């Protein structure tokens, strides 16, 4: 149960920021997307979902058969319709967790509320998930979650909390998507992640939204000594707009963070994406890698911000972009900020087009021009999905290839 003091603090912050636009990204009129008041029926098995929902889950890598998962959470609009664990990991809707556990130290403590999107989540919460990996528990088989918008022009306002306790290890695959017939909507997500000493979390997120959906995630990760956080993010289908800028706080000694982002901007998508890492723990380190492709008249801003706040830290930022249309736009914004001496921060950024000699070479080997271009694009986006067991990494790669085929 949250204390009254904590609830009052959150209410006051939400009131303060309820009309404040975000620093980055397109401003959204929230009145266009009402928060639904529903009570959707829960299902006993993912197999009981309707065919539209099953297809949506499959498109973001959710295993409806649950053959290789330690647990599943599925939310449609504002309702958690399925939540089940098959191990000693704790998984439940956030509203249940807020009633059951003392979470003052985890609720709105990592994410800094700063705009109207976070304020709406605080004022009009429509569930989200709570995950806790107990001390010393190590699971390489993934836990899977899915946040699905199943109705037109609604606002989904979720708050997620993940806690990986000392010495524990967890893989989470989360899919964010819409039903096949849904084209418009608003997804607001606050995700707070806490890694204790020697904890490890691999968090793989697949976005597959409708073409007129706006997405505003607000994510922060707090990391203790010797903890490891690996974030894999993939979006390859048209979406109206995404503005995302997660922040990892490497506060502990030897804390290590990796962000890997794959973006395929298509249609009239407007994507303002990036990540920030604050290296304040002794010997902490970060790698931030992004691959961006733009076609049609899509626009992508790829941001990266590395802050060296302590000596003997290392960080590298890499952004590569491929632009395939005259109407597309890519802006790479790498930032390095050093507050101490004796540290190592670096970045590299490159934006270009497919080299004609590569096309000609592949065509000389018997491929058509379209086949050659497709092969080069797949190679460009081929970033190893770090931190996953080999079989799981293979499955995620196959799912990415399938999504890319659909996108192209």
């Amino acid at each position: 149960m949250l204390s009254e003091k904590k609830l009052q603090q959150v209410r006051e912050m939400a009131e303060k920021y309820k009309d404040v636009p975000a620093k980055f990204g397109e401003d959204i009129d929230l009145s266009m997307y009402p928060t639904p008041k529903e009570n959707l029926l829960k299902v006993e098995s993912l197999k009981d979902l309707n065919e539209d929902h099953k297809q949506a889950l499959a498109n973001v890598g959710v295993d409806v058969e649950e053959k290789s998962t330690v647990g599943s959470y599925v939310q449609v609009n504002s309702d958690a319709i399925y939540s089940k664990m098959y191990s000693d990991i704790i998984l439940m809707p956030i509203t249940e967790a807020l009633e059951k556990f003392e979470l003052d130290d985890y609720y709105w403590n990592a994410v800094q509320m700063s705009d109207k999107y976070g304020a709406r989540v605080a004022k009009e919460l429509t569930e989200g998930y709570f995950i806790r990996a107990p001390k010393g528990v190590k699971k390489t088989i993934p836990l899977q979650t899915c946040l699905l918008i199943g109705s037109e022009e609604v606002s989904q306002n979720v708050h997620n909390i993940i806690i990986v306790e000392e010495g524990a290890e967890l893989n989470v695959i989360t899919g964010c998507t819409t039903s096949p017939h849904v084209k418009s909507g608003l997804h607001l997500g606050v995700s707070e992640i806490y890694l204790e000493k020697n904890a490890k979390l691999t968090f793989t997120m697949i976005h597959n939204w409708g073409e007129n959906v706006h997405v505003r995630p607000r994510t922060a990760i707090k990391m203790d000594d010797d903890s490891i956080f690996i974030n894999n993010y993939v979006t390859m289908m048209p979406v109206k707009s995404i503005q995302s800028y997660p922040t990892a706080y490497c506060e502990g000694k030897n804390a290590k963070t990796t962000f890997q982002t794959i973006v395929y901007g298509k249609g009239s998508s407007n994507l303002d994406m990036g990540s920030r890492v604050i290296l304040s723990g002794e010997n902490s380190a970060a790698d931030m890698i992004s691959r961006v492709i733009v076609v049609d008249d899509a626009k992508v801003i790829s941001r990266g911000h590395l802050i060296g706040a302590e000596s003997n830290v290392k960080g590298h930022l890499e952004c590569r972009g491929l632009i395939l249309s005259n109407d597309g736009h890519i802006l790479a914004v790498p930032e390095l900020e050093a507050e101490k001496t004796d540290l190592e921060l670096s970045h590299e950024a490159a934006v270009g087009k497919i080299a004609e000699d590569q096309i000609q070479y592949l065509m000389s080997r018997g491929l058509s021009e379209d086949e050659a271009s497709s092969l080069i694009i797949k190679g460009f986006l081929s970033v190893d999905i770090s931190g996953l067991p080999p079989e799981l990494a293979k499955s995620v790669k196959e799912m990415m290839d399938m999504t890319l085929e659909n996108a192209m």
Side-chain angles (χ1 to χ4, degrees):
M1 178 76 73
L2 292 176
S3 67
E4 184 56 38
K5 179 180 178 182
K6 183 65 172 185
L7 288 170
Q8 184 60 29
Q9 289 174 344
V10 173
R11 284 193 289 264
E12 289 175 358
M13 292 293 285
E15 189 64 26
K16 177 180 178 180
Y17 289 104
K18 67 179 182 179
D19 298 315
V20 177
K23 181 178 179 181
F24 302 123
E26 176 184 350
D27 190 35
I28 308 300
D29 181 357
L30 297 184
S31 68
M32 300 292 291
Y33 303 94
T35 299
K37 297 184 184 301
E38 302 175 289
N39 188 19
L40 299 179
L41 293 177
K42 292 179 169 57
V43 296
E44 293 299 319
S45 166
L46 293 181
K47 297 177 184 178
D48 297 333
L49 294 170
N50 66 45
E51 292 306 314
D52 274 2
H53 290 169
K54 286 182 183 178
Q55 182 60 52
L57 266 62
N59 288 342
V60 290
V62 174
D63 177 15
V64 175
E65 301 288 332
E66 296 190 279
K67 292 180 178 178
S68 56
T69 181
V70 296
S72 302
Y73 173 91
V74 176
Q75 177 172 332
V76 178
N77 295 343
S78 59
D79 296 313
I81 64 169
Y82 186 79
S83 179
K84 186 173 289 187
M85 281 303 306
Y86 301 99
S87 74
D88 42 8
I89 307 295
I90 297 171
L91 168 66
M92 64 181 65
I94 190 67
T95 55
E96 291 184 21
L98 292 174
E99 289 290 331
K100 186 173 183 178
F101 302 115
E102 296 288 341
L103 295 178
D104 277 18
D105 292 338
Y106 302 99
Y107 187 68
W108 284 108
N109 271 11
V111 171
Q112 306 296 311
M113 195 184 303
S114 61
D115 59 41
K116 63 186 185 181
Y117 308 113
R120 174 176 270 203
V121 173
K123 292 167 72 71
E124 303 178 31
L125 179 64
T126 62
E127 281 298 357
Y129 53 78
F130 174 81
I131 300 170
R132 186 196 295 267
K135 182 177 180 179
V137 172
K138 297 180 184 290
K139 298 293 181 182
T140 56
I141 298 174
L143 182 155
Q144 60 184 6
T145 72
C146 182
L147 303 171
L148 185 148
I149 296 178
S151 305
E152 289 284 355
E153 298 182 346
V154 300
S155 178
Q156 186 181 60
N157 320 320
V158 302
H159 195 133
N160 309 311
I161 294 177
I162 301 176
I163 303 168
V164 186
E165 294 184 354
E166 183 175 348
E169 181 177 341
L170 187 63
N171 283 298
V172 175
I173 295 181
T174 185
C176 297
T177 187
T178 51
S179 291
H181 67 278
V182 174
K183 303 302 180 185
S184 64
L186 175 65
H187 171 83
L188 309 177
V190 172
S191 296
E192 303 188 278
I193 298 172
Y194 299 87
L195 304 184
E196 296 183 1
K197 293 179 180 180
N198 295 296
K200 179 180 179 181
L201 174 64
T202 303
F203 191 77
T204 301
M205 180 181 293
I206 312 296
H207 273 192
N208 187 11
W209 298 108
E211 60 188 19
N212 288 311
V213 174
H214 295 284
V215 184
R216 296 294 181 274
R218 301 292 180 259
T219 302
I221 307 96
K222 289 206 167 190
M223 304 176 62
D224 208 334
D225 293 352
D226 300 296
S227 59
I228 298 173
F229 177 68
I230 300 172
N231 185 91
N232 302 305
Y233 176 88
V234 180
T235 182
M236 293 189 182
M237 299 301 287
V239 61
K240 189 65 175 179
S241 74
I242 301 177
Q243 190 270 307
S244 175
Y245 206 19
T247 299
Y249 299 91
C250 292
E251 299 171 332
K253 295 180 181 179
N254 306 310
K256 291 180 171 55
T257 296
T258 300
F259 282 98
Q260 297 185 126
T261 303
I262 299 174
V263 175
Y264 188 95
K266 185 176 173 63
S268 58
S269 300
N270 188 350
L271 311 177
D272 190 322
M273 310 187 66
S275 51
R276 177 192 294 115
V277 179
I278 301 173
L279 299 168
S280 58
E282 183 181 345
N283 294 319
S284 58
D287 282 302
M288 302 155 71
I289 300 167
S290 66
R291 297 287 185 271
V292 177
I293 287 184
V294 164
V295 299
D296 305 322
D297 60 345
K299 295 177 174 59
V300 177
I301 299 176
S302 181
R303 303 181 188 276
H305 190 183
L306 270 171
I307 302 172
E310 183 57 87
S311 299
N312 301 314
V313 300
K314 292 184 179 181
H316 180 68
L317 170 62
E318 176 187 327
C319 175
R320 293 176 58 194
L322 195 61
I323 189 161
L324 304 181
S325 66
N326 291 329
D327 296 322
H329 181 85
I330 297 177
L331 174 62
V333 188
E335 294 183 79
L336 303 180
E337 185 175 342
E339 298 178 358
K340 301 286 185 178
T341 59
D342 301 322
L343 49 74
E344 183 180 325
L345 303 179
S346 61
H347 79 74
E348 55 181 297
V351 177
K353 63 178 183 178
I354 295 177
E356 189 64 30
D357 60 341
Q358 293 178 337
I359 295 285
Q360 294 299 326
Y361 172 77
L362 291 173
M363 290 177 67
S364 73
R365 310 294 290 184
L367 298 181
S368 69
E369 184 173 357
D370 287 344
E371 289 170 336
S373 296
S374 177
L375 188 62
I376 291 170
I377 289 170
K378 288 181 180 179
F380 178 82
L381 293 179
S382 181
V383 174
D384 289 335
I385 301 298
S386 296
L388 299 180
E391 286 302 312
L392 179 57
K394 179 182 177 182
S395 297
V396 172
K397 180 66 166 59
E398 289 173 352
M399 186 273 300
M400 287 171 51
D401 287 344
M402 177 192 71
T403 305
L404 182 57
E405 289 288 349
N406 292 335
M408 296 174 63

